[in-house]
Amino acid sequence: MTALQNANRHATAIVLGSTGILICGPSGAGKSELALALLHAAHRDGLFSALISDDQVLISSAGGRVIAATPPAIAGLIEIRGSGLASVEHLDCAVMDFALTPVSAENAVRLPPFDSRFDLGAGIFLPQAFLRWPAPDPLSKLLALCPGLETGRPARLSPAGKDP
């Protein structure tokens, strides 16, 4: 595995509890909107939540972990498409535990493979989950995919019937 150092990726990175989530997808897929919905729902439910970076994420790897950081010029800013930029609570960097890809209802696969991996380049991968978006209550769906996420401790994607 080759190390990555500040590779700029088109994505959005957030932390819920102590779990880092890299939201990936093409432009217009709803990454920022999904991130904002997850951040606010987590905060409302008393779970720590913070933005790392929106639209541009600097990806590095160290010790087998993926680290996401924000370019200083956009720290704490998230795009609300059609409305502009908004300031939200943020962290400068965090370890990413998995990638989350929003998919439209018409493109959603009923049962996508659970062992999907998101390729960050240089032989670096993150486990990947898919979430239909837009849809009501994305946090509940994410909590079902990541048992233990609601506790604030690090959570991982877990296939049905398996311990995380």
Side-chain angles (χ1 to χ4, degrees), residues 2-3 13 32 34 37 41-43 48 106 122 140-141 148:
T2 306
S32 301
L34 176 56
H43 180 75
F48 173 80
E106 50 277 353
S140 290
K141 295 171 186 172

mmCIF file of all heavy atoms in Angstrom, residues 2-3 13 32 34 37 41-43 48 106 122 140-141 148:
data_model
loop_
_atom_site.group_PDB
_atom_site.id
_atom_site.type_symbol
_atom_site.label_atom_id
_atom_site.label_comp_id
_atom_site.label_asym_id
_atom_site.label_seq_id
_atom_site.Cartn_x
_atom_site.Cartn_y
_atom_site.Cartn_z
ATOM 1 N N THR A 2 0.636 2.128 -0.942
ATOM 2 C CA THR A 2 1.342 3.394 -1.030
ATOM 3 C C THR A 2 0.607 4.421 -0.192
ATOM 4 O O THR A 2 -0.616 4.452 -0.159
ATOM 5 C CB THR A 2 1.396 3.866 -2.493
ATOM 6 O OG1 THR A 2 1.948 2.841 -3.285
ATOM 7 C CG2 THR A 2 2.233 5.109 -2.637
ATOM 8 N N ALA A 3 1.335 5.285 0.487
ATOM 9 C CA ALA A 3 0.704 6.326 1.295
ATOM 10 C C ALA A 3 0.182 7.445 0.405
ATOM 11 O O ALA A 3 0.771 7.767 -0.623
ATOM 12 C CB ALA A 3 1.696 6.883 2.303
ATOM 13 N N ALA A 13 -16.702 15.095 4.054
ATOM 14 C CA ALA A 13 -16.307 14.275 5.198
ATOM 15 C C ALA A 13 -16.954 14.821 6.462
ATOM 16 O O ALA A 13 -16.937 16.032 6.704
ATOM 17 C CB ALA A 13 -14.789 14.258 5.339
ATOM 18 N N SER A 32 -23.551 17.042 0.011
ATOM 19 C CA SER A 32 -23.633 18.109 1.016
ATOM 20 C C SER A 32 -24.964 18.067 1.742
ATOM 21 O O SER A 32 -25.019 18.213 2.968
ATOM 22 C CB SER A 32 -23.448 19.478 0.367
ATOM 23 O OG SER A 32 -22.201 19.556 -0.280
ATOM 24 N N LEU A 34 -26.989 15.490 2.157
ATOM 25 C CA LEU A 34 -27.010 14.311 3.026
ATOM 26 C C LEU A 34 -26.170 14.562 4.268
ATOM 27 O O LEU A 34 -26.589 14.251 5.388
ATOM 28 C CB LEU A 34 -26.510 13.079 2.264
ATOM 29 C CG LEU A 34 -26.380 11.790 3.076
ATOM 30 C CD1 LEU A 34 -27.691 11.401 3.751
ATOM 31 C CD2 LEU A 34 -25.864 10.664 2.177
ATOM 32 N N ALA A 37 -28.050 16.836 6.622
ATOM 33 C CA ALA A 37 -29.147 16.116 7.270
ATOM 34 C C ALA A 37 -28.623 15.197 8.377
ATOM 35 O O ALA A 37 -29.196 15.141 9.473
ATOM 36 C CB ALA A 37 -29.933 15.311 6.233
ATOM 37 N N ALA A 41 -29.415 15.774 12.383
ATOM 38 C CA ALA A 41 -30.149 14.702 13.070
ATOM 39 C C ALA A 41 -29.326 14.158 14.236
ATOM 40 O O ALA A 41 -29.859 13.912 15.323
ATOM 41 C CB ALA A 41 -30.500 13.587 12.092
ATOM 42 N N ALA A 42 -28.033 13.971 14.026
ATOM 43 C CA ALA A 42 -27.172 13.481 15.100
ATOM 44 C C ALA A 42 -27.138 14.479 16.256
ATOM 45 O O ALA A 42 -27.281 14.104 17.424
ATOM 46 C CB ALA A 42 -25.765 13.209 14.577
ATOM 47 N N HIS A 43 -26.961 15.740 15.935
ATOM 48 C CA HIS A 43 -26.929 16.787 16.967
ATOM 49 C C HIS A 43 -28.251 16.810 17.743
ATOM 50 O O HIS A 43 -28.265 16.877 18.968
ATOM 51 C CB HIS A 43 -26.651 18.142 16.328
ATOM 52 C CG HIS A 43 -26.599 19.263 17.293
ATOM 53 N ND1 HIS A 43 -25.534 19.469 18.140
ATOM 54 C CD2 HIS A 43 -27.501 20.232 17.581
ATOM 55 C CE1 HIS A 43 -25.784 20.523 18.897
ATOM 56 N NE2 HIS A 43 -26.977 21.001 18.570
ATOM 57 N N PHE A 48 -22.481 13.645 19.129
ATOM 58 C CA PHE A 48 -21.524 14.606 18.587
ATOM 59 C C PHE A 48 -21.530 14.514 17.070
ATOM 60 O O PHE A 48 -21.552 13.424 16.496
ATOM 61 C CB PHE A 48 -20.113 14.335 19.120
ATOM 62 C CG PHE A 48 -19.080 15.208 18.456
ATOM 63 C CD1 PHE A 48 -18.909 16.519 18.864
ATOM 64 C CD2 PHE A 48 -18.324 14.731 17.401
ATOM 65 C CE1 PHE A 48 -17.981 17.342 18.231
ATOM 66 C CE2 PHE A 48 -17.385 15.535 16.771
ATOM 67 C CZ PHE A 48 -17.222 16.849 17.196
ATOM 68 N N GLU A 106 -34.134 5.848 -8.360
ATOM 69 C CA GLU A 106 -34.141 5.119 -9.628
ATOM 70 C C GLU A 106 -32.842 4.354 -9.886
ATOM 71 O O GLU A 106 -32.826 3.406 -10.658
ATOM 72 C CB GLU A 106 -34.487 6.023 -10.816
ATOM 73 C CG GLU A 106 -33.734 7.310 -10.936
ATOM 74 C CD GLU A 106 -34.285 8.466 -10.095
ATOM 75 O OE1 GLU A 106 -35.348 8.351 -9.476
ATOM 76 O OE2 GLU A 106 -33.594 9.489 -10.047
ATOM 77 N N ALA A 122 -3.933 4.803 -5.037
ATOM 78 C CA ALA A 122 -2.684 4.342 -4.417
ATOM 79 C C ALA A 122 -2.894 3.095 -3.563
ATOM 80 O O ALA A 122 -2.218 2.898 -2.562
ATOM 81 C CB ALA A 122 -2.060 5.466 -3.574
ATOM 82 N N SER A 140 -31.468 7.287 10.818
ATOM 83 C CA SER A 140 -31.987 5.986 11.269
ATOM 84 C C SER A 140 -31.467 4.856 10.392
ATOM 85 O O SER A 140 -31.112 3.778 10.889
ATOM 86 C CB SER A 140 -33.515 5.971 11.256
ATOM 87 O OG SER A 140 -34.015 6.794 12.265
ATOM 88 N N LYS A 141 -31.409 5.099 9.100
ATOM 89 C CA LYS A 141 -30.909 4.076 8.178
ATOM 90 C C LYS A 141 -29.423 3.817 8.413
ATOM 91 O O LYS A 141 -28.970 2.670 8.425
ATOM 92 C CB LYS A 141 -31.163 4.492 6.742
ATOM 93 C CG LYS A 141 -32.642 4.568 6.429
ATOM 94 C CD LYS A 141 -32.893 5.181 5.083
ATOM 95 C CE LYS A 141 -34.400 5.367 4.915
ATOM 96 N NZ LYS A 141 -34.730 6.109 3.743
ATOM 97 N N GLY A 148 -24.046 0.441 16.962
ATOM 98 C CA GLY A 148 -23.130 1.064 17.908
ATOM 99 C C GLY A 148 -22.838 2.514 17.588
ATOM 100 O O GLY A 148 -22.311 3.234 18.432
#
